[in-house]
Amino acid sequence: MFAEEAIASAPPKGELDAAGSETLGRLHFDLARVHARLSQPAGRRHAAPFDIGDAERARRRDLAFAGLWNAIAFGWRDPWEFDASADLAPLHADPRWKGLLACLPRK
């Protein structure tokens, strides 16, 4: 997967300029959206086209949250993106969602 390869080959956060850090944060955010979509049961909009099973859906949710935390760590902190992304809707019922949103700046 391109996003995972780009993230793996990126320099450490301390060696990135602000634009590079934000770009890497966006990659983490986009990858998290993919994992969140795949965490839905088959038959739902944007879900996997086949049933991947409960354990795999739980793993995808964990990967999505890890990606979102990484996005925040790299500077991707736009609360609108987190709130408005329909792809992240499967994560809203998870108790970790509120903690994640609490770390975002609010105006």
Side-chain angles (χ1 to χ4, degrees):
M1 187 178 286
F2 174 75
E4 290 170 336
E5 291 170 3
I7 290 168
S9 65
K13 185 177 187 284
E15 295 178 18
L16 293 171
D17 61 10
S21 184
E22 186 173 328
T23 299
L24 194 55
R26 179 64 199 208
L27 280 172
H28 278 285
F29 183 79
D30 288 342
L31 188 57
R33 289 174 48 209
V34 170
H35 287 302
R37 279 195 312 249
L38 291 174
S39 74
Q40 298 182 80
R44 299 250 175 113
R45 185 172 182 246
H46 301 303
F50 51 89
D51 191 5
I52 59 176
D54 291 341
E56 181 62 14
R57 279 196 296 278
R59 188 178 82 80
R60 291 294 182 155
R61 275 191 303 279
D62 291 345
L63 289 170
F65 275 105
L68 292 173
W69 282 113
N70 284 331
I72 291 169
F74 279 98
W76 190 260
R77 298 171 187 221
D78 184 350
W80 184 87
E81 286 273 358
F82 284 79
D83 291 337
S85 176
D87 296 332
L88 298 178
L91 306 179
H92 292 184
D94 191 296
R96 296 173 285 183
W97 182 251
K98 287 183 181 180
L100 186 106
L101 291 183
C103 293
L104 298 174
R106 298 289 176 172
K107 293 181 180 178

